[in-house]
Amino acid sequence: MSDSINYERNLPHRLPPGEVVFLTFRLAGSLPRTVVEQLQAELELAQQRFELEPEQLYAAQKRYFGRFDDQLNKGEYGPTYLRQLAIATLVAESLRYFDGNGYDLRCYCLMPNHVHLVVRVLEEAPPLVKTLQRLKSYTATQANKLLGRTGAFWQAESYDHVVRKGELERVVAYVLENPVKAGLVEDWEQWPYTYWAP
């Protein structure tokens, strides 16, 4: 995987060209630091325990993300700017803008405080991390203008996961069903902030 683009803050990120990647990014302040630190500590413990067992490590990472996403879905803390039509429209249009030149967009779901996104990393495109930086920078600036505020809009770090062979259908279903799981609608097609490429 020498073509992989790697970067790291709190989590390792591997975004190899040609692969399908599931991404989640969230609004700044959408989770208390104590919750994030506790979840990260649990993941680090699992990584130490299962260092030689890749399948167990993968299962631990999935559990970590599931607990993280459950906390976001509760919406008990922080802003929910993506509930506002103007902000959601801005983010959705920006996600579509990069389709074809930054990535191949498979699906997305804008939740009140976070975004789920599935893309295929294009071979000839700029590194996905650069595209995400541009997308988050632009939407943060424009959203802050619309909201009449300043300061961080997005949390700096994104969660990403290279979709394994045979799991794309499950990942897309997870993204589309997120508003149902969160109790926002009864059917994913009722949620106005989802997209699934034909």
Side-chain angles (χ1 to χ4, degrees):
M1 245 195 236
S2 60
D3 293 337
S4 295
I5 302 301
N6 299 299
Y7 65 100
E8 188 165 338
R9 288 195 184 172
N10 295 321
L11 297 171
H13 300 267
R14 290 167 185 81
L15 309 175
E19 297 288 345
V20 175
V21 179
F22 169 48
L23 300 138
T24 298
F25 50 97
R26 63 187 176 97
L27 296 176
S30 54
L31 288 178
R33 173 176 276 161
T34 54
V35 170
V36 174
E37 288 173 352
Q38 179 184 349
L39 291 171
Q40 288 175 339
E42 291 172 12
L43 178 61
E44 287 171 12
L45 180 63
Q47 287 174 327
Q48 291 168 3
R49 280 183 58 205
F50 302 129
E51 191 170 334
L52 301 176
E53 307 277 345
E55 288 305 315
Q56 289 178 314
L57 177 58
Y58 177 66
Q61 290 170 334
K62 281 175 58 176
R63 283 192 302 276
Y64 163 80
F65 176 77
R67 288 194 299 269
F68 195 93
D69 200 43
D70 286 344
Q71 291 292 326
L72 287 171
N73 284 340
K74 289 178 186 176
E76 295 174 343
Y77 188 85
T80 57
Y81 301 132
L82 296 172
R83 283 188 184 274
Q84 298 180 32
L85 178 62
I87 305 302
T89 300
L90 165 71
V91 174
E93 288 175 353
S94 297
L95 291 171
R96 288 191 179 118
Y97 174 82
F98 289 101
D99 185 21
N101 59 24
Y103 47 68
D104 176 24
L105 181 60
R106 299 298 175 89
C107 69
Y108 66 73
C109 179
L110 308 182
M111 296 294 285
N113 61 4
H114 65 288
V115 175
H116 291 305
L117 175 67
V118 178
V119 300
R120 184 175 62 81
V121 182
L122 299 175
E123 298 282 347
E124 65 281 1
L128 183 57
V129 63
K130 297 293 184 195
T131 300
L132 291 175
Q133 287 170 348
R134 287 180 57 206
L135 184 142
K136 289 171 73 175
S137 176
Y138 174 77
T139 55
T141 300
Q142 297 306 312
N144 276 342
K145 285 180 186 176
L146 290 169
L147 293 165
R149 67 180 296 275
T150 59
F153 184 79
W154 297 112
Q155 193 69 30
E157 181 142 0
S158 300
Y159 171 87
D160 58 72
H161 163 74
V162 174
V163 177
R164 292 178 169 196
K165 185 176 180 174
E167 75 174 355
L168 179 59
E169 187 175 313
R170 181 189 60 78
V171 171
V172 168
Y174 181 91
V175 169
L176 298 178
E177 291 290 332
N178 205 230
V180 176
K181 181 181 174 189
L184 300 172
V185 290
E186 292 183 18
D187 184 273
W188 75 268
E189 292 179 294
Q190 296 171 326
W191 189 246
Y193 309 122
T194 56
Y195 169 79
W196 185 17

